[in-house]
Amino acid sequence: MDELIQHLKELTLDITDRLDETTYEELELFVEDRQELVDSIAEQAGICKPTHAQKQEINRILGYDNVILDRMNALRLEAQDWLQKRNQAKVQRSAYEAAYTPDSLLMDRRK
């Protein structure tokens, strides 16, 4: 179990060291890899009880969760903002595009 915890620690420290330039794809891979490790650790914890030192190390690793979640939320808000701007531009563009048939005629009346 120590190896799994150490691997989880390395994975977490690696992502937090370069968190500012991390893309959402990298975070997605991190979450998938982390989940596999957490599942393995939980499986091992069911077989043999973790020591106090192992529990402390896991809690230290969990301390990085807020920083990682903050980055994920920042990326989510960035994507949400981009989508809103894109939809707004689409609405504005469609307002200027003519919705007419090309064979139609326009008739003006003189007053």
Side-chain angles (χ1 to χ4, degrees):
M1 182 171 355
D2 286 333
E3 291 176 15
L4 292 171
I5 294 172
Q6 183 61 32
H7 189 59
L8 179 62
K9 180 180 177 182
E10 290 169 3
L11 186 68
T12 304
L13 290 177
D14 178 52
I15 201 75
T16 55
D17 285 345
R18 53 189 180 81
L19 199 57
D20 290 336
E21 61 267 356
T22 303
T23 63
Y24 75 92
E25 292 99 347
E26 291 172 319
L27 281 173
E28 184 178 2
L29 286 173
F30 164 75
V31 169
E32 290 172 2
D33 292 344
R34 178 185 167 153
Q35 187 60 48
E36 289 177 16
L37 284 171
V38 168
D39 290 343
S40 298
I41 290 171
E43 192 176 299
Q44 289 290 320
I47 296 171
C48 62
K49 188 174 173 127
T51 64
H52 181 68
Q54 290 171 333
K55 288 179 185 178
Q56 283 183 328
E57 190 63 29
I58 290 170
N59 285 331
R60 249 185 255 123
I61 294 169
L62 290 176
Y64 292 102
D65 282 2
N66 287 334
V67 177
I68 296 168
L69 282 173
D70 287 345
R71 176 64 178 160
M72 289 176 155
N73 280 326
L75 288 172
R76 180 186 59 82
L77 291 173
E78 184 180 309
Q80 182 180 2
D81 185 45
W82 181 83
L83 283 173
Q84 286 176 344
K85 286 180 182 178
R86 181 174 169 253
N87 287 337
Q88 186 178 19
K90 190 186 291 185
V91 167
Q92 289 174 351
R93 187 176 55 246
S94 68
Y96 287 105
E97 291 176 352
Y100 65 91
T101 55
D103 295 335
S104 65
L105 295 173
L106 179 63
M107 303 286 257
D108 282 339
R109 280 193 207 168
R110 199 174 221 187
K111 291 188 179 184

